[in-house]
């Protein structure tokens, strides 16, 4: 790890009129670190994620990102062109519903290759070879490369979405409930895959989830949100094993024991 | 534009009122200033259904003057319903001379072809465009496609070409083949066969595109760079035909298949009827050409 964070977030707030989306969120994210944001639905997790990924503009506060040239840039002062460029090169966004992050009517190979073509790759053979490589890394058979994601199962779609996001070698990936809606055995394999990729590629990630088990498996650090505010943050194991805030204690004790 | 001495006082010259023509001319000028950029304009109801060339007719009506000579083609032919009707329309409402000869025309309105005879400086080619947005079938949101044009985000257009190669082993798009204009805007050349794409590149003629239903005008000023998109290992190629025109024996022209009987008989003939007739007048004969040359309609002067 380097001695400078990748992302600095300071006093970030988002209001929808008089309602609070998220309020006064401050944290640093370091290269290679996975941060989980947990909390019940309506606690502001997704609002926070959308603000950080510049899909929403916050009402106040700042977030600066360390670009590849090591200079910090204020995200909300960048032009839209720069933000969108960042979004398709240095960042990834994995949606809960793969249909939101994939082009459902073009083949799996084109889904993976789109980012490459967007940054100027114009050699069909190379694009296809990269797509084949990435499909195998996310455990999709090579002979499915020309199939549309519509013909894929939920778990395959989610893995394809991950491949599509990682193909340009991003440094920061946002994930919104990446395992939501999948059955537990598929979830387990996806988590295993994600954990491997994150470690191998040295990715930093911000994972929004309501599933504490996902947070425990994937993340090193976590933030617990309630009513738009961060009520507790710390190392994942510490927060889950020794929750201090009353709400976190409630959350941890609500996990169903099988 | 001064009023013409004519007995059809119910119409303004060239059908459209002068305010509308000014509005359309402003859109055309903006389009010429930004080659390949789709300029929105307040498309009017025309006395014909959408899809029959309402955009092209509005552009032609806005630029035509009493001294112009108009040619109208539909898929290369001067004698199909759409071409005959639009030619008759302007003969009636603008009282201009009309012709079928490419070289004599000052304005050529076209549906889906560029004439085989090379265009020259001073000529204007007006295209009828059904769907001006090259990204439309990949990205349905207009807000998003406009943003993509503005930010020059054109990865998606190559996704379409990638899909072609993945499915067919080659780029199978044969018409409305996307082009990049002056290294900036990706443009739909209207559903012309890709055979005609090279003719757009650095053409000495002014090329105007009108989409009536979609309310967009775009333009290529003379000598504009128009490059067909492709991959390094799958370069752009035009269609080739393995036999010459059955009537005039022309090679390296775009051919239409014509069914002759219900026993599978067919022939390939020039899609550009004027080009084919000219060649037959010069004595070229294909293997299915009739013995007696046709009496052909030529230029009709204004009354």
């Amino acid at each position: 790890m380097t001695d400078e964070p990748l992302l600095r977030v300071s006093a970030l707030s988002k209001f929808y009129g008089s309602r609070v989306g998220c309020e006064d969120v401050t944290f640093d994210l370091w290269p290679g670190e996975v941060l989980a944001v947990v909390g019940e639905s309506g606690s502001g997790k997704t609002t926070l994620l959308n603000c950080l990924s510049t899909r929403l503009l916050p009402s106040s506060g700042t977030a600066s990102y360390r670009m590849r040239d090591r200079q910090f840039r204020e995200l909300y002062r960048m032009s839209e062109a720069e933000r969108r460029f960042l979004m398709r090169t240095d960042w990834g966004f994995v949606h809960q519903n793969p249909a939101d992050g994939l082009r459902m009517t073009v083949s799996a190979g084109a889904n993976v290759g789109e980012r490459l073509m967007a940054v100027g790759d114009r050699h069909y053979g190379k694009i296809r070879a990269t797509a084949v490589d990435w499909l195998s890394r996310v455990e999709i058979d090579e002979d499915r490369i020309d199939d549309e994601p519509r013909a894929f199962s939920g778990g395959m779609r989610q893995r394809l979405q991950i491949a599509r996001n990682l193909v340009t070698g991003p440094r920061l990936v946002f994930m919104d409930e990446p395992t939501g809606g999948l059955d537990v055995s598929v979830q387990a394999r996806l988590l295993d895959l994600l954990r491997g990729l994150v470690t191998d590629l040295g990715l930093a990630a911000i994972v929004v989830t309501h599933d504490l088990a996902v947070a425990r498996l994937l993340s090193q650090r976590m933030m617990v949100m309630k009513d738009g505010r961060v009520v507790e943050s710390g190392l994942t194991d510490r927060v889950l094993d020794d929750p201090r805030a009353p709400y976190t204690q409630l959350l941890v004790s609500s996990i169903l024991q099988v | 534009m001064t009023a013409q001495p004519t007995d059809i006082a119910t119409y303004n010259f060239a059908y459209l009122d002068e305010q509308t023509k000014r509005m359309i001319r402003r859109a055309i000028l903006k389009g010429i200033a930004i080659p390949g950029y789709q300029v929105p304009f307040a498309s009017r109801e025309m006395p014909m259904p959408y899809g029959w060339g309402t955009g092209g007719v509005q552009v032609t009506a806005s630029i035509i003057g009493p001294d112009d000579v108009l040619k109208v083609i539909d898929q290369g032919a001067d004698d199909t319903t759409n071409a005959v009707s639009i030619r008759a329309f302007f003969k009636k409402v603008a009282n201009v001379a009309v012709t079928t000869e490419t070289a004599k025309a000052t304005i050529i309105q076209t549906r889906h072809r560029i004439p085989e005879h090379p265009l020259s400086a001073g000529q204007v080619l007006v295209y009828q465009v059904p769907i001006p947005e090259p990204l439309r079938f990949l990205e349905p949101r207009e807000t998003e496609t406009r943003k993509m044009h503005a930010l020059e985000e054109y990865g998606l257009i190559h996704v379409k070409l990638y899909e072609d190669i993945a499915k067919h082993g080659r780029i199978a798009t044969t018409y409305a083949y996307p082009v990049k204009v002056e290294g900036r805007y990706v443009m739909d050349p209207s559903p012309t066969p890709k055979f005609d794409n090279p003719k757009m590149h650095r053409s000495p003629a002014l090329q105007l595109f009108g989409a009536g239903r979609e309310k967009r005008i775009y333009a290529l000023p003379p000598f504009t760079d128009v490059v067909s998109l492709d991959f390094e290992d799958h370069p752009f190629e035009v269609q080739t035909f393995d036999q010459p025109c059955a009537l005039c024996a022309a090679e390296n022209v775009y051919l239409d298949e014509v069914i002759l009987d219900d026993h599978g008989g067919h022939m390939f003939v020039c899609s550009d009827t004027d080009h084919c007739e000219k060649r037959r007048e010069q004595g070229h004969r294909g293997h299915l050409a009739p013995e007696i040359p046709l009496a052909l309609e030529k230029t009709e002067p204004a009354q």
Side-chain angles (χ1 to χ4, degrees):
Chain A
M1 279 200 193
T2 51
D3 50 359
E4 271 186 311
L6 193 63
L7 185 70
R8 279 185 175 144
V9 181
S10 166
L12 201 69
S13 302
K14 172 72 186 175
F15 300 99
Y16 299 103
S18 60
R19 293 184 200 286
V20 177
C22 62
E23 198 174 3
D24 200 22
V25 177
T26 302
F27 69 94
D28 287 347
L29 183 75
W30 300 76
E33 181 183 44
V34 180
L35 174 72
V37 181
V38 300
E40 59 194 11
S41 57
S43 62
K45 309 185 297 277
T46 301
T47 296
L48 175 64
L49 195 74
N50 285 338
C51 283
L52 292 174
S53 59
T54 71
R55 292 152 56 84
L56 267 182
L57 284 184
S59 310
S60 66
T62 61
S64 37
Y65 178 72
R66 188 156 57 81
M67 310 292 280
R68 289 192 186 220
D69 61 5
R70 310 185 74 79
Q71 297 299 309
F72 274 97
R73 292 287 308 277
E74 177 84 53
L75 289 180
Y76 309 119
R77 286 170 192 258
M78 284 183 176
S79 70
E80 189 174 12
E82 288 173 301
R83 284 204 301 265
R84 286 174 68 118
F85 183 75
L86 201 60
M87 201 69 203
R88 63 174 192 264
T89 54
D90 220 20
W91 289 3
F93 197 108
V94 178
H95 294 261
Q96 175 173 10
N97 180 0
D100 295 339
L102 291 172
R103 292 197 188 276
M104 298 303 279
T105 53
V106 306
S107 69
N111 263 295
V112 177
E114 181 180 345
R115 276 179 162 226
L116 295 172
M117 295 183 249
V119 294
D121 221 323
R122 292 287 177 270
H123 192 285
Y124 174 82
K126 287 181 194 160
I127 293 166
R128 195 164 171 89
T130 313
V132 168
D133 176 46
W134 268 100
L135 289 182
S136 72
R137 287 168 88 161
V138 297
E139 298 166 16
I140 296 175
D141 282 342
E142 190 182 332
D143 62 4
R144 303 299 302 268
I145 187 168
D146 292 331
D147 291 352
E148 290 176 8
R150 281 188 298 200
F152 285 9
S153 68
M156 276 172 84
R157 289 180 188 185
Q158 198 57 289
R159 295 202 298 277
L160 180 63
Q161 195 191 180
I162 289 164
R164 173 182 159 90
N165 273 287
L166 298 188
V167 66
T168 47
R171 296 191 300 158
L172 174 57
V173 179
F174 302 96
M175 297 186 212
D176 190 3
E177 306 275 10
T179 57
L182 301 176
D183 61 55
V184 282
S185 61
V186 175
Q187 265 192 35
R189 278 180 55 208
L190 187 73
L191 285 173
D192 199 37
L193 174 78
L194 269 178
R195 197 154 64 154
L197 286 172
V198 165
T199 320
D200 290 349
L201 303 170
L203 287 175
I206 297 177
V207 184
V208 159
T209 179
H210 62 264
D211 187 338
L212 294 179
V214 170
R216 165 109 59 186
L217 263 171
L218 277 182
S219 69
Q220 287 106 35
R221 219 150 53 91
M222 66 189 285
M223 296 198 309
V224 183
M225 291 185 74
K226 179 164 174 28
D227 300 333
R229 289 184 164 273
V230 176
V231 292
E232 184 164 358
S233 66
L235 294 178
T236 303
D237 290 343
R238 203 281 294 154
V239 174
L240 291 180
D241 294 341
D242 177 24
R244 288 176 193 170
Y247 175 71
T248 318
Q249 291 169 358
L250 180 71
L251 202 64
V252 170
S253 62
S254 309
I255 297 175
L256 283 177
Q257 302 296 329
V258 183
Chain B
M1 200 68 53
T2 53
Q4 296 297 301
T6 165
D7 56 346
I8 45 163
T10 40
Y11 291 117
N12 189 34
F13 178 78
Y15 187 77
L16 291 175
D17 62 278
E18 294 304 313
Q19 281 302 322
T20 299
K21 287 194 226 168
R22 287 182 65 178
M23 173 271 292
I24 294 174
R25 285 177 201 141
R26 277 197 292 269
I28 293 172
L29 286 174
K30 184 170 180 184
I32 292 172
I34 318 170
Y37 171 72
Q38 300 166 43
V39 186
F41 79 109
S43 179
R44 296 291 192 253
E45 291 286 327
M46 296 304 283
M48 58 204 286
Y50 286 134
W52 286 64
T54 52
V57 163
Q58 289 179 76
V59 170
T60 302
S62 306
I63 60 170
I64 203 163
D67 301 330
D68 274 313
V69 181
L70 180 70
K71 171 184 163 82
V72 183
I73 50 174
D74 175 1
Q75 307 275 13
D78 291 277
D79 53 4
T80 54
T81 312
N82 202 214
V84 170
S85 305
I86 293 174
R87 204 160 56 224
F89 175 74
F90 280 110
K91 210 164 144 47
K92 184 174 178 191
V93 300
N95 191 29
V96 291
V98 294
T99 185
T100 58
E101 290 181 52
T102 302
K104 286 192 180 153
T106 55
I107 298 174
I108 302 168
Q109 183 172 330
T110 174
R111 176 171 172 267
H112 313 352
R113 270 315 305 280
I114 299 176
E116 304 289 356
H117 188 279
L119 300 177
S120 54
Q123 287 186 307
V124 184
L125 189 58
V126 178
Y127 296 77
Q128 302 170 194
V129 183
I131 293 166
E133 179 50 71
L135 303 164
R136 178 59 67 239
F137 291 108
L138 299 153
E139 174 52 67
R141 291 167 294 179
E142 173 71 12
T143 47
E144 185 66 14
T145 52
R146 281 210 202 186
K147 204 166 271 179
M148 290 160 85
H149 282 294
L151 302 177
E152 233 182 315
E153 280 181 14
Y154 288 133
L156 199 52
I157 200 85
H158 274 87
V159 169
K160 177 176 159 37
L161 301 180
Y162 172 98
E163 284 288 274
D164 266 7
I165 304 173
K167 281 197 186 118
H168 307 288
R170 65 197 160 79
I171 297 178
T173 304
T174 52
Y175 65 95
Y177 191 102
V179 294
K180 195 159 205 183
V181 178
E182 282 291 314
R184 177 58 179 84
Y185 283 98
V186 166
M187 185 190 94
D188 183 340
S190 86
T192 50
K194 65 178 176 181
F195 181 87
D196 286 339
N197 275 16
K199 294 181 194 160
M200 293 183 161
H201 179 60
R202 304 195 70 78
S203 167
L206 171 63
Q207 301 174 75
L208 303 176
F209 299 77
R213 181 186 49 211
E214 304 290 323
K215 301 175 173 55
R216 294 288 183 277
I217 284 174
Y218 50 105
L220 297 172
F223 304 107
T224 301
D225 281 337
V226 179
V227 179
S228 303
L229 300 175
D230 58 5
F231 284 103
E232 288 161 16
D233 46 347
H234 287 268
F236 172 75
E237 285 170 347
V238 298
Q239 294 100 327
T240 53
F241 299 89
D242 47 13
Q243 48 186 312
C245 170
L247 295 179
C248 75
E251 298 193 28
N252 301 318
V253 293
Y254 193 74
L255 302 181
D256 282 340
E257 183 180 10
V258 176
I259 305 295
L260 297 174
D261 51 38
D262 56 0
H263 306 296
H266 63 130
M267 63 175 180
F268 286 93
V269 296
C270 290
S271 106
D272 186 338
T273 52
D274 172 57
H275 181 76
C276 198
E277 286 164 4
K278 280 278 178 317
R279 280 179 56 85
R280 276 181 280 158
E281 272 173 34
Q282 291 161 7
H284 297 281
R285 282 283 174 276
H287 68 282
L288 289 176
E291 291 307 310
I292 309 146
L294 302 161
L296 304 165
E297 184 192 355
K298 284 290 163 321
T299 306
E300 285 179 52
Q303 306 295 308

